[in-house]
């Protein structure tokens, strides 16, 4: 039995021109049961997580700049100084909370 992997799961009724599916990243829990930890719906590109997620954690703005040298619009990190989530707009990092 695989410990982890990537799989495609049929997620609806197939038609003549389309098979609705999700792409999943999975692992096996301590009981050996495979569980999806990330699922991306093919038709609407929505990612869902089966458990908690942890963002990249940085100590401050200087550490953030060193860790993320080429940020892209939509990136999110957690800045532990002031306990703030930050998002990149494509031009600047902004506090989200």
């Amino acid at each position: 039995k695989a410990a982890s992997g990537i799989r495609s799961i049929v997620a609806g009724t197939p038609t003549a021109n389309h098979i609705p599916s999700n792409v999943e990243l999975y692992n096996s829990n301590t009981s050996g049961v495979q569980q999806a930890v990330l699922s991306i719906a093919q038709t609407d590109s929505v990612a869902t997580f089966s458990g908690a997620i942890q963002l990249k954690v940085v100590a401050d703005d200087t550490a953030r700049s060193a860790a993320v040298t080429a940020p892209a619009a939509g990136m999110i990190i957690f800045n532990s100084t002031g306990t703030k989530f930050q998002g990149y707009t494509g031009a600047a990092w902004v506090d989200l909370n």
Side-chain angles (χ1 to χ4, degrees), residues 61-73:
D61 291 348
T62 301
R64 183 199 61 223
S65 295
V68 185
T69 58

Side-chain angles (χ1 to χ4, degrees), residues 2 4 8-12 14 20 22-23 27 31 35 40-41 45 49-50 57 67 70 73-74 76 79 84 91:
S4 63
S8 180
I9 303 292
V10 175
N22 295 342
V23 175
N27 65 12
S31 300
Q35 57 188 9
I40 302 170
S45 299
F49 297 86
S50 62
V57 177
I76 300 172
N79 188 324
K84 53 191 168 188

Side-chain angles (χ1 to χ4, degrees), residues 22-58:
N22 295 342
V23 175
E24 294 181 346
L25 178 65
Y26 70 91
N27 65 12
S28 296
N29 66 17
T30 55
S31 300
V33 176
Q34 291 180 354
Q35 57 188 9
V37 293
L38 169 66
S39 180
I40 302 170
Q42 183 179 24
T43 56
D44 58 11
S45 299
V46 173
T48 59
F49 297 86
S50 62
I53 61 168
Q54 182 172 354
L55 300 173
K56 174 74 176 165
V57 177
V58 296

